[in-house]
Amino acid sequence: MSTSTTPLARPKTRIDADTRFEAIDFVNRVNFLFDRWQPEELLAAFSDDVIVDHPLGRSAGKEELASFLKAYEPITHGVRRHNCNHVIDAGQGDDILVTYYILLIRIAPSSEAGKLKTAPMCPS
């Protein structure tokens, strides 16, 4: 999650389709964990050297990310995320940079959001 500006005109290094798919799939799966508020699983999805840039601050490492999630939790309940316009670029070394927009949709008041953990993501 970053608020920095990334040049998006044309990638300098080509990203293969499998890597592009894996990056987008990872972002989407992490947002499902946010939607259901599963912080343990969310932390487990990241490597120990995770860096998260967010409008509310930067977290470096799982300990800082855990602290960030604890502070962020109250505004997360009852919100669904939809990612739009994924752009995948090569970073330094083996890093992959994913730039995208997130549309946040409040679907329940925080007081009722606990029920969403066991509700299906789509109606049957």
Side-chain angles (χ1 to χ4, degrees):
M1 293 176 250
S2 178
T3 58
S4 63
T5 325
T6 304
L8 300 177
R10 182 177 288 260
K12 293 180 181 177
T13 304
R14 183 162 170 76
I15 304 294
D16 66 83
D18 286 342
T19 301
R20 183 177 306 279
F21 169 79
E22 288 176 23
I24 293 170
D25 188 59
F26 176 79
V27 168
N28 292 336
R29 288 176 186 279
V30 163
N31 280 322
F32 274 123
L33 295 172
F34 263 104
D35 289 347
R36 300 227 175 221
W37 197 249
Q38 297 175 315
E40 294 82 19
E41 291 88 345
L42 188 56
L43 283 171
F46 292 99
S47 62
D48 290 338
D49 60 350
V50 60
I51 295 175
V52 174
D53 287 318
H54 189 277
L56 295 178
R58 182 183 184 109
S59 302
K62 282 192 176 183
E63 189 173 310
E64 286 186 16
L65 181 55
S67 295
F68 171 81
L69 292 174
K70 187 173 182 180
Y72 192 75
E73 179 179 359
I75 63 173
T76 302
H77 295 298
V79 174
R80 292 282 190 255
R81 288 152 183 75
H82 181 75
N83 303 312
C84 306
N85 302 325
H86 297 84
V87 176
I88 315 299
D89 284 310
Q92 293 181 324
D94 292 334
D95 289 350
I96 300 296
L97 304 174
V98 182
T99 305
Y100 59 93
Y101 296 98
I102 298 179
L103 174 64
L104 302 175
I105 304 168
R106 171 140 318 264
I107 62 168
S110 295
S111 60
E112 297 293 316
K115 297 174 185 175
L116 299 174
K117 277 191 170 186
T118 57
M121 293 301 284
C122 300
S124 312

